[in-house]
Amino acid sequence: MSLLVATTGWRPEPWIQRLSALLPGRRIDTLETVDRVAVRYALTWRHPPGSLQGLPNLRAIFSLGAGVDHVFADPHLPEVPIVRVVDPDLTQRMSEWVALQVLLHHRQFRRYERQQRLAVWDEDETQPAARDVRVGLLGLGVLGLDAARKLQALGFDVAGWSRTHKSVAGLATYHGAEGLDALLARTDILVSLLPLTPDTKGLLDAKLIAKLPRDGRIGPALINAGRGGSQVEADIVAALESGRLKGASLDVFETEPLPSSSALWGRDDVFVSPHNAAISEPEAVAKYIAGEIVALERGTGLRNLVERERGY
Ligand code: NDP
Ligand code: OXD
């Protein structure tokens, strides 16, 4: 029984190499070499739609990333369990990126970078303490919660928002549509770590930005490393132009790679990274998937299952 690595945009070789070492004796194929009857597990990153059909012995689909919107982009998904990545390496990477971006806005990194270029010595006497900066996290899942804890450790005044009610010691939480306005009203730096679902599509738009307060010591600033489909880039650019938004850090985009024509590239008040806030590092993620497969075959149930109805 074999594994199928079905990817577009990511090279399959590093995955095959790691998985072969972790699951010796197991055949690991790509879509080009696959024996469809032999496949028991499919590992996907943006597999071509329809390519997981006609695998009669398929037991589970493993997403190679934490996000699974790429899996649901296939209208012909087989009815087997879908497992997503939950791995400390990926979580740590995301929290590093989020902390870096929050600090970048808080400590006005771009301003001093510009000043250095121009050899300008201009102190800012109004630099607020982290405790006076309100960070609002959209998404309190595996990544959101870890980022919240690390931002709290840096001293920020953090609150979070989720779909369902969450009680988290030491963290102010909000949930549901009605909770969103309350979170926005107390947010200087908004961080989105939301999955892309029909409910979160286009959420980060002009209407939402207009609800961020103007009375904060910093910002408002918008940070998104969830999915680009949740943001309306034209609205973000317009809000930056009008001064309604003071800065943005974006790792994900409506279209990826970000087209060279995008207005986001040339802006001093925007930090752009190429969807690598938290990469799926093959060493770590292959180990996680191989461990799940071995556990499943020993009779343990699969963990980190995706719920099809909610889309994440
Ligand atoms: P989880 O599934 O653990 O958490 C998702 C969170 O989002 C949950 O708190 C969930 O609420 C909340 N949520 C979902 N839908 C809504 C909604 N409609 N309204 C309010 N809250 C909502 O996911 P992870 O934390 O592991 O990952 C989050 C996302 O990060 C991934 O889906 C992916 O898109 C992105 N990602 C980006 C990477 C990058 O490099 N840029 C790398 C890895 C992931 P509830 O708790 O109630 O279920
Ligand atoms: C992921 C990603 O979902 O890389 O893991 O975006």
Side-chain angles (χ1 to χ4, degrees), residues 10 45 64-68 90 226-227 275 278-280:
W10 289 4
W45 182 255
L64 293 175
V68 290
L90 189 144
R227 280 292 182 263
H275 196 147
I279 59 161
S280 284

Side-chain angles (χ1 to χ4, degrees), residues 68-88:
V68 290
D69 46 300
H70 69 102
V71 180
F72 290 120
D74 181 352
H76 308 293
L77 271 187
E79 283 294 327
V80 295
I82 302 167
V83 182
R84 70 193 198 91
V85 174
V86 174
D87 179 73

